[in-house]
Each structure stands twice: as C-alpha cells, then as structure tokens.
Amino acid sequence: TPVIPVWPNRNIYVRVFAHVCNDIGVCGPNSASIPLNPVQPEFDECSNGTHDCDLPMATCTDTFQSYQCGCREGYIGTGRSATNRKCNEINECARRTHDCLASNALCINTVGSFACGCMAGYTGVGRVQSGGCTDIDECAMGTH
C-alpha cells in the first residue's frame, strides 16, 4: 500500500517508499528512495458538503477517502440523491409493517413513520403494546 493511515482521524499518513536498486540488484544504503504514490489528502465529504446523500432523509458517514449514504428509519433506497432510488418514504400502513391493532384501530401514515388511532366509539392509542382500543360504553356515560 502506498499510504498507510497512522492516525486517520487526525489526517496523519505515512508515505511508503520504494528503493531504486543498482543494475546488479543490490539495494543498500546508497540506493535512492522514491515515493510510490503521492499522499492524497483526506477530507470529510459529509462536513464540507461534497457528498450526494439525500439529506435530510439520509445520513452521511465519512470513510477513508470516501463517504457512505444510508436512509434514515422509515425510508428506503440507496440514500444518494444522484440515483433514482433516493430515500423514499415507506408507507407502513400499506405494507402492514405497523403495530396498530387489526380491529378497532386505524393506521395513519406520517412522513418517515406512522401513528395509530382508535375508530369512533373506542378510546386508547390503538397500538398492541399500549393496550389497544377500549369500547366506550355510551349507555353508562349517558352519551347515547
């Protein structure tokens, strides 16, 4: 490898040298050292805005000499705005990947997520883990 990262987070790299040997193949203290490759400066594409991540629906993660895009939760795609598969919102209600109750509750798609609600005549939050929806007793309440 021409460049060895010693401390990549601090942009410190070691340049690796090759020895030019004499014509009989002897490489020693009198041989010349030449750099194999110039050192490429490392910069953070995510911080300096030179990435093509589909913000704010995607995240940008800096890597050595590059970056990676990824869609946030509730979105699907490549995360890159330069492609046809940017981060598209997932409709959890249409895909049935929500945790709203199957009966007496409604799934409401929201940007990047979903919400559950109870149908008319029921009370609660409509989610399985939260007790679902409870029938309102209109007779007992005198609201019939």
Side-chain angles (χ1 to χ4, degrees), residues 9-143:
N9 293 339
R10 299 279 186 225
N11 299 329
I12 298 172
Y13 299 90
V14 174
R15 193 176 289 178
V16 178
F17 291 88
H19 290 281
V20 179
C21 303
N22 63 23
D23 47 338
I24 58 168
V26 175
C27 300
N30 295 331
S31 62
S33 284
I34 58 168
L36 289 174
N37 251 346
V39 175
Q40 296 293 324
E42 168 64 10
F43 58 94
D44 185 345
E45 296 87 355
C46 299
S47 293
N48 70 21
T50 57
H51 62 83
D52 67 344
C53 297
D54 189 20
L55 301 179
M57 287 75 66
T59 59
C60 182
T61 304
D62 186 51
T63 62
F64 178 67
Q65 300 286 334
S66 190
Y67 62 94
Q68 291 180 338
C69 302
C71 294
R72 294 185 186 276
E73 189 173 340
Y75 294 87
I76 191 169
T78 63
R80 293 187 180 266
S81 49
T83 66
N84 290 334
R85 294 205 19 93
K86 308 178 199 189
C87 292
N88 298 306
E89 203 270 327
I90 297 171
N91 185 333
E92 294 85 359
C93 299
R95 289 180 173 222
R96 299 185 186 270
T97 57
H98 58 82
D99 64 347
C100 302
L101 283 175
S103 60
N104 307 324
L106 301 168
C107 180
I108 302 128
N109 191 53
T110 62
V111 177
S113 190
F114 67 95
C116 301
C118 294
M119 294 179 159
Y122 293 86
T123 185
V125 292
R127 287 192 120 126
V128 175
Q129 317 84 300
S130 302
C133 298
T134 306
D135 185 17
I136 297 171
D137 187 348
E138 292 88 358
C139 295
M141 294 179 67
T143 57

